[in-house]
C-alpha cells in the first residue's frame, strides 16, 4: 500500500467492486508480475475526504473497458489507447512494442484470476488507472521514475433494455470543456459538475457545451461520444481533434457501414446541430450504441439564459420542444427502436470478432 498515494487509495475505495486489484509498481517492466492487493485494504479510505496539502499533485491517466462472460470487448484497442494516453502524460518514458503487446494479456490475466469477480457477476467494467506527477520534472528524473498502474473491476451500471427501445434522456452542461480531449486524463472538477447535474436532473448523460468564444461547440458527452443523424439521413460525429476518438465510436464507423447506412462523417458540431438533428445516439463502453429520446435544454433561469443566448447567436431552430415549466424545456427525438436494435446487435458482432 505504501506504493499507492492516498488520493489513489480513495479512488480505489470509491470505485472498486472486486475481490482484489492488480498493482504494477513499474508497468513498463515487461518482466514484472503484479502485486495482488485485497480490496478490503482500501475500505478505511472510502469515507476519507480529508485534504492533504503536502501531497504531490498527479495527473490521473485511466481507461475503462467492458468485460462480458470472461472476455474484454475490444481489449487490444483499449490497451493501445491507454498506453498512448500514458505516453502523452509521461513523454520522456519509452513504451516499448513488447510492453504494448503485453498489456492485453495482463488485462486478461486479471479477469481470469479466481475470486476477482464478486458472486454472480458475469459482466462488469475493468479500469486501468495510473498516476504521474503533474509538475514538470527533469527528463532524467522522470525516466528513472517507474510508472505504476492499477487494474481493477469497478462498479458498473448498464442501461436497461427499455432504454434501448425508448431512448435515453440527456442534459446540456454549459461552459464546459476538456483541457485535453484527446487523452484519458481525469479532469476532476468537470467530472464533479457533470455528476452533480446527473444526480439533480436524473438524466443518463450530459453533453458538454462550450461558450460563445467557441461558437457553442458540443464536441462530446462527459463520458461518451455521440452520433447524430441530420434531416437528410447522413450520420455525423464531432471533428476528431475535438474529442477522444472512443473505441465504441471506431466500432460504430464499421457498424453503420455494415448495416448499409452509409458512413460517419466528421465536423465541428455545435448546439445548432443538436437542435436541428433528426436523431441522436450516445456511444460508450457502458451504453454501447444507445438512442436518445430527449435533451434537457435548460433546467432553471440561469441555464435558460445560456440556451437562449446560444440559440440566438447560432440562428438555430429547435425541433420538437416540450416546455416543462417556465424555466425548463426538453428537446424530443423520435426513437427508431428497430434501427437501434440493429446497430446494437452489429456492435456486439464487431466486438466478438475483434
Amino acid at each position: 500500500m505504501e506504493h499507492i498515494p492516498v488520493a489513489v487509495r480513495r479512488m480505489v475505495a470509491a470505485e472498486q467492486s472486486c475481490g482484489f486489484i492488480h498493482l504494477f509498481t513499474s508497468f513498463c517492466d515487461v518482466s514484472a508480475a503484479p502485486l495482488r492487493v485485497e480490496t478490503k485494504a482500501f475500505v478505511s479510505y472510502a469515507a476519507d475526504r480529508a485534504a492533504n496539502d503536502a501531497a504531490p499533485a498527479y495527473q490521473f491517466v485511466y481507461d475503462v473497458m467492458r468485460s462480458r462472460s470472461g472476455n474484454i470487448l475490444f481489449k487490444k484497442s483499449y490497451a493501445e489507447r491507454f498506453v498512448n494516453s500514458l505516453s502523452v502524460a509521461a513523454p520522456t518514458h519509452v513504451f516499448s512494442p513488447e510492453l504494448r503487446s503485453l498489456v492485453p494479456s495482463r488485462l486478461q490475466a486479471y479477469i481470469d484470476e479466481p475470486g476477482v469477480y464478486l458472486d454472480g457477476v458475469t459482466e462488469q467494467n475493468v479500469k486501468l488507472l495510473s498516476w504521474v506527477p503533474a509538475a514538470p520534472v527533469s527528463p532524467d528524473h522522470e525516466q528513472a521514475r517507474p510508472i505504476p498502474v492499477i487494474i481493477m473491476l469497478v462498479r458498473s451500471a448498464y442501461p436497461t433494455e427499455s432504454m434501448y427501445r425508448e431512448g435515453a434522456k440527456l442534459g446540456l452542461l454549459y461552459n464546459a470543456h476538456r483541457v485535453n480531449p484527446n487523452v484519458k486524463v481525469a479532469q476532476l472538477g468537470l467530472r464533479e459538475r457533470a455528476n452533480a447535474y446527473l444526480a439533480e436532473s436524473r438524466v443518463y448523460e450530459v453533453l458538454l457545451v462550450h461558450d460563445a468564444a467557441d461558437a457553442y461547440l458540443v464536441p462530446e458527452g462527459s463520458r461518451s461520444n455521440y452520433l447524430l443523424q441530420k434531416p437528410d439521413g447522413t450520420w455525423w460525429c464531432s471533428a476528431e481533434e475535438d474529442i477522444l476518438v472512443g473505441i465504441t465510436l471506431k466500432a460504430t464507423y464499421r457498424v453503420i457501414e455494415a448495416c448499409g447506412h452509409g458512413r460517419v462523417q466528421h465536423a465541428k458540431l455545435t448546439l445548432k446541430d443538436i437542435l436541428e438533428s433528426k436523431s441522436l445516439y450516445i456511444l460508450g463502453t457502458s451504453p454501447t450504441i444507445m438512442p436518445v429520446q430527449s435533451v434537457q435544454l435548460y433546467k432553471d433561469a440561469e441555464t435558460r439564459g445560456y440556451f437562449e443566448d446560444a440559440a440566438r447567436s447560432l440562428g438555430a431552430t429547435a425541433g420538437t420542444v416540450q416546455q416543462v415549466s417556465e424555466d425548463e424545456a426538453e428537446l424530443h427525438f423520435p426513437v427508431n427502436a428497430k434501427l437501434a436494435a440493429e446497430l446494437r446487435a452489429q456492435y456486439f458482432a464487431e466486438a466478438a470478432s475483434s
Side-chain angles (χ1 to χ4, degrees), residues 207 215-218 226-231 236-238 267-280 314-319 331 333:
L207 301 179
Y216 302 104
L217 195 72
V218 185
Y226 72 90
L227 190 70
L228 64 78
Q229 189 179 29
K230 292 191 175 183
W236 294 82
C237 182
S238 291
K268 286 188 172 293
L269 301 178
T270 70
L271 186 58
K272 178 181 174 70
D273 295 294
I274 300 289
L275 296 176
E276 298 178 355
S277 61
K278 175 183 177 181
S279 64
L280 200 63
L314 295 168
T317 303
L331 175 66
F333 298 94

Side-chain angles (χ1 to χ4, degrees), residues 16-33:
Q16 63 81 22
S17 181
C18 50
F20 53 87
I21 67 164
H22 274 183
L23 168 66
F24 290 87
T25 57
S26 182
F27 193 65
C28 294
D29 181 356
V30 296
S31 65

Side-chain angles (χ1 to χ4, degrees), residues 47-84:
D48 182 7
R49 294 291 182 269
N52 182 357
D53 294 335
Y58 294 100
Q59 292 185 81
F60 298 106
V61 182
Y62 70 99
D63 219 316
V64 180
M65 60 216 74
R66 186 170 183 168
S67 69
R68 198 174 194 228
S69 301
N71 295 303
I72 296 175
L73 307 188
F74 304 107
K75 177 172 54 186
K76 291 181 180 178
S77 297
Y78 279 106
E80 179 182 5
R81 188 173 71 177
F82 177 69
V83 176
N84 288 343

